[in-house]
Amino acid sequence: MLIDATTAPYVHRYRGVEAYLNSPYPETRDVAVATITGVGSSALGSAALGWNISKALAQPVLAIVPGYRVADVVLQALGGWFGFGLHDYMGTKTVTQNSLANVAPNNASIGRALSGSVPDAPSLHGAPVYRHGSGSSDVLHALMQDRPSPFRLLVGHSKGALQIGNALRSLDPDRTKDVRVVTLGCPIAQDAPGAIYHQYLGLFDALGQLNMWGHWPDHWPPTWHSTNPAMAAGAMASAAA
């Protein structure tokens, strides 16, 4: 979704990566900020985070919807039980998606239309499988790679931060140089060449602290795991300055 809190009609939906890349509208090429929300986020949750950031920065934001649905029931359970840091480290999402594609391709395709629309997306029995650990990572990787110019600011909340890290990991250094990465509630490895990281973890965020995995934040605001806009706006503005 392309969200611009300053200009009606405010929200534009794109159902495929190629449709977005081939759009005739200059806004799709000019937008410099992209977001990914965490485990369990719906289109509404993704739009809400994108809207808050668009209002804070007074510029459009591309909100990538994770698309968690029936195919993620097992993943949701594992993420809640082990914590999404271990869940990501073990590659559980990729393994489970590949297994579902083998035994139940129809279920493995539910909620996967966006990741399946990535140019040259791999598939198994007609169901999309992942190159970079998750559908959202595949989408962001393709956009960072194939747009005329990469995004300049990436914002991830919770597991969305890990998905940003996965998406950047195999990009050419010229696509990650000077890209600002803001993580909320989940510090990640700062391993993208030339990227600039601003990592926020709440003092009262037990879930985020469980998933630090040795990655320390730059800032400890007095908040919890929720993306309360009253507490998030200042972080976005300082990172974009």
Side-chain angles (χ1 to χ4, degrees):
M1 293 179 288
L2 184 58
I3 299 172
D4 189 345
T6 66
T7 307
Y10 307 116
V11 178
H12 305 266
R13 294 191 300 171
Y14 294 87
R15 298 186 180 276
V17 174
E18 291 200 70
Y20 179 83
L21 290 171
N22 297 326
S23 170
Y25 298 105
E27 293 85 353
T28 59
R29 295 180 290 278
D30 295 340
V31 60
V33 184
T35 65
I36 304 181
T37 43
V39 169
S41 293
S42 63
L44 182 60
S46 299
L49 179 63
W51 180 270
N52 289 337
I53 295 171
S54 180
K55 284 192 68 176
L57 301 182
Q59 60 179 287
V61 170
L62 183 71
I64 299 173
V65 182
Y68 296 101
R69 294 186 184 178
V70 172
D72 279 333
V73 170
V74 175
L75 303 179
Q76 295 278 29
L78 287 172
W81 181 259
F82 291 112
F84 45 78
L86 177 60
H87 176 244
D88 183 78
Y89 175 77
M90 294 174 64
T92 307
K93 193 168 182 64
T94 299
V95 171
T96 305
Q97 175 69 10
N98 291 355
S99 299
L100 279 172
N102 259 317
V103 301
N106 289 336
N107 282 350
S109 298
I110 296 173
R112 300 290 180 259
L114 183 60
S115 58
S117 71
V118 171
D120 301 318
S123 63
L124 188 61
H125 304 308
V129 293
Y130 303 140
R131 289 174 173 166
H132 305 286
S134 73
S136 298
S137 295
D138 285 0
V139 169
L140 179 59
H141 184 277
L143 294 176
M144 289 289 290
Q145 179 173 266
D146 295 341
R147 282 189 2 136
S149 59
F151 298 107
R152 306 316 306 161
L153 173 63
L154 303 173
V155 182
H157 172 245
S158 192
K159 187 163 172 53
L162 292 169
Q163 295 180 39
I164 289 174
N166 288 341
L168 299 183
R169 194 157 289 134
S170 58
L171 286 169
D172 292 334
D174 66 315
R175 307 303 286 181
T176 58
K177 186 177 185 297
D178 296 329
V179 171
R180 294 177 181 268
V181 179
V182 175
T183 66
L184 306 173
C186 182
I188 62 175
Q190 302 186 28
D191 54 6
I196 302 165
Y197 291 81
H198 304 268
Q199 308 212 66
Y200 296 81
L201 182 60
L203 281 171
F204 316 114
D205 184 352
L207 180 59
Q209 292 173 30
L210 173 66
N211 288 285
M212 288 172 59
W213 285 84
H215 305 134
W216 288 88
D218 306 300
H219 310 278
W220 293 86
T223 185
W224 58 310
H225 199 64
S226 171
T227 52
N228 186 320
M231 298 180 182
M236 296 303 100
S238 63

